[in-house]
Amino acid sequence: MTSLIYLDNNATTPLDPGVLDVMMPYFTTHFGNASSISHRAGRLASAAVETARTEVAALIGASEKEITFTSGATEAINMALKGIYHSYQRKGKHIITCQTEHRAVLDVCSHLQKLGAAVTFLPVDSQGRIQLSDLEAAIRPDTILIALMYANNETGVIHPVADIGRLAKERDVLFFCDATQAAGKIKVDVVRDEIDLLCLSAHKLYGPKGTGALYIKRKSRRIQTGTLLHGGGQENGLRGGTLNVPAIAAFGKAADICRQTLDTDHRQLRTLRDQLEQQLTSAIPEVYINGTESPRLPNTSNICFRYLNGEEIMVNMPSVALAAGSACASGKREPSHVLHAMGLPAEDIKASLRFSFGRFNSQSDVGEVVNILPEMISRLRAASPVWQLHKEGLL
Ligand SMILES: *Cc1c(COP(=O)(O)O)cnc(C)c1O
């Protein structure tokens, strides 16, 4: 494990050491229940939660009253989508989302379809972009929600969020944005982008797993989301259950570090990513980068090594942690729905690998990959009948 080069930061990030320091006392000396404010132990815990709420709000330009802590982005997505659907039935049952959303959004949408929702899944072009005209044309009088992500977890492609927000506002439709991958990597501002609801996850920004947040705009008309978890009345009655104080305190610290290091992190990540892309594309024939013509996150590179199998590449490079073009959902491997929506043929989806950099990667990690990969790929291709056919011009 010590020598593992971790380039799978879009799946999860390691905890920042500064985050662990903030988290530890809430397991030991400051173990109080944040709801038990009749004594000092509880008040200490409650104060930690409120500090974290301010820090998380600051990362996205929100106010602390607009932040509800959840168990992660998936729960926040469930709360937002199911809540809006159930609360706005008088207006309608139509939801607009996109084919390249995270499974959490797509699965909630298919669940809501079974309950009677009408869902439009917008297509994307070969670069992972939606057309604003498609979005505009999809809005109907009974549309209650637009659910579009800030940046894609597989390709890093960034949606035109400010334009989407403006359009949603003009047409009086609520806008939910899954900013799980964008937050901490690029500037997310719920006011500038006119976002009504937004989800975050701590473990994608150097915080612990099992904690996240839902932002619900409070500045204009009150948005109704109801509650998924009844009991105890925590989080303003929106999410019952004893708060996970250590994780929430850690989430706050992680958000605070991200906000303060956003520019330097951005520069460092982009440098590593660009070096990797430049060196691999010049050293290896028949490779291309997915979504390269779109605005992208600085840390994500999704590369197709044509005529090969991404799984095989990973097996032959066990010292590097990557993600394949197929998502492992409950044990079965399915070709990536994101790359499929971008029109990649099945062979190219299988041949694609995601490299996602993080704060703790360095130049030597890029060097290591560039050392191993070109040589290994020519070896694998030399042994591949498909590659031979390609070289003879038969493919
Ligand atoms: C990881 C991720 C999620 C799910 O987050 P959890 O906190 O693990 O539930 C949702 N959306 C995107 C874009 C993600 O990358």
Side-chain angles (χ1 to χ4, degrees), residues 10-11 71-75 77 102 104-105 149 151-153 178-181 199-204 210-212:
N10 285 13
S71 67
T74 301
E75 186 190 323
I77 290 165
H102 191 270
V105 168
M149 70 203 318
N152 188 273
N153 45 301
D178 175 355
T180 310
Q181 288 294 342
C199 69
L200 297 170
S201 180
H203 77 97
K204 302 285 175 77
T211 296

Side-chain angles (χ1 to χ4, degrees), residues 165-179:
R166 195 167 357 92
L167 184 59
K169 191 175 183 190
E170 268 167 31
R171 304 291 294 270
D172 196 25
V173 178
L174 292 172
F175 174 30
F176 167 79
C177 187
D178 175 355

Side-chain angles (χ1 to χ4, degrees), residues 226-290:
T227 176
L228 284 179
L229 289 179
H230 299 269
Q234 286 89 350
E235 297 296 88
N236 264 321
L238 287 179
R239 206 260 184 189
T242 301
L243 292 174
N244 185 348
V245 179
I248 289 170
F251 183 16
K253 181 64 179 178
D256 191 47
I257 295 173
C258 281
R259 190 173 56 79
Q260 303 209 29
T261 60
L262 197 69
D263 293 339
T264 46
D265 274 8
H266 190 287
R267 242 175 286 132
Q268 184 201 332
L269 293 169
R270 198 185 46 209
T271 303
L272 297 179
R273 195 269 316 265
D274 290 352
Q275 276 174 357
L276 180 86
E277 291 188 346
Q278 197 269 320
Q279 296 188 32
L280 290 185
T281 50
S282 62
I284 307 170
E286 295 287 349
V287 295
Y288 65 86
I289 298 159
N290 291 305

Side-chain angles (χ1 to χ4, degrees), residues 308 376-385 387-388 391:
L308 282 173
M376 185 243 286
I377 283 186
S378 55
R379 190 160 40 81
L380 291 178
R381 279 179 174 165
S384 148
W387 178 252
Q388 295 309 321
K391 278 214 313 192

Side-chain angles (χ1 to χ4, degrees), residues 102-330:
H102 191 270
R103 273 280 159 227
V105 168
L106 294 176
D107 287 356
V108 175
C109 284
S110 7
H111 167 76
L112 292 176
Q113 275 182 311
K114 287 187 202 117
L115 300 183
V119 183
T120 300
F121 297 91
L122 295 174
V124 294
D125 67 11
S126 67
Q127 298 302 314
R129 294 174 292 219
I130 60 157
Q131 302 302 314
L132 278 175
S133 53
D134 285 350
L135 172 60
E136 195 160 9
I139 299 174
R140 325 190 306 206
D142 63 337
T143 306
I144 50 175
L145 184 66
I146 294 169
L148 291 171
M149 70 203 318
Y150 214 110
N152 188 273
N153 45 301
E154 291 190 31
T155 60
V157 169
I158 299 171
H159 277 327
V161 174
D163 294 331
I164 297 166
R166 195 167 357 92
L167 184 59
K169 191 175 183 190
E170 268 167 31
R171 304 291 294 270
D172 196 25
V173 178
L174 292 172
F175 174 30
F176 167 79
C177 187
D178 175 355
T180 310
Q181 288 294 342
K185 299 190 184 106
I186 54 174
K187 180 103 180 107
V188 171
D189 187 323
V190 292
V191 178
R192 175 195 67 195
D193 298 334
E194 312 215 48
I195 296 168
D196 296 305
L197 304 109
L198 173 146
C199 69
L200 297 170
S201 180
H203 77 97
K204 302 285 175 77
L205 45 84
Y206 313 97
K209 292 160 190 62
T211 296
L214 178 63
Y215 150 83
I216 308 170
K217 188 178 177 180
R218 296 255 181 261
K219 296 225 164 76
S220 54
R221 211 167 357 130
R222 202 178 166 83
I223 296 169
Q224 307 291 331
T225 55
T227 176
L228 284 179
L229 289 179
H230 299 269
Q234 286 89 350
E235 297 296 88
N236 264 321
L238 287 179
R239 206 260 184 189
T242 301
L243 292 174
N244 185 348
V245 179
I248 289 170
F251 183 16
K253 181 64 179 178
D256 191 47
I257 295 173
C258 281
R259 190 173 56 79
Q260 303 209 29
T261 60
L262 197 69
D263 293 339
T264 46
D265 274 8
H266 190 287
R267 242 175 286 132
Q268 184 201 332
L269 293 169
R270 198 185 46 209
T271 303
L272 297 179
R273 195 269 316 265
D274 290 352
Q275 276 174 357
L276 180 86
E277 291 188 346
Q278 197 269 320
Q279 296 188 32
L280 290 185
T281 50
S282 62
I284 307 170
E286 295 287 349
V287 295
Y288 65 86
I289 298 159
N290 291 305
T292 184
E293 285 165 35
S294 303
R296 282 186 300 158
L297 292 175
N299 79 315
T300 309
S301 186
N302 193 306
I303 308 182
C304 176
F305 301 92
R306 298 187 70 204
Y307 308 107
L308 282 173
N309 186 333
E311 302 281 340
E312 202 181 352
I313 296 174
M314 290 198 295
V315 169
N316 280 277
M317 198 167 55
S319 60
V320 183
L322 300 174
S326 51
C328 187
S330 60

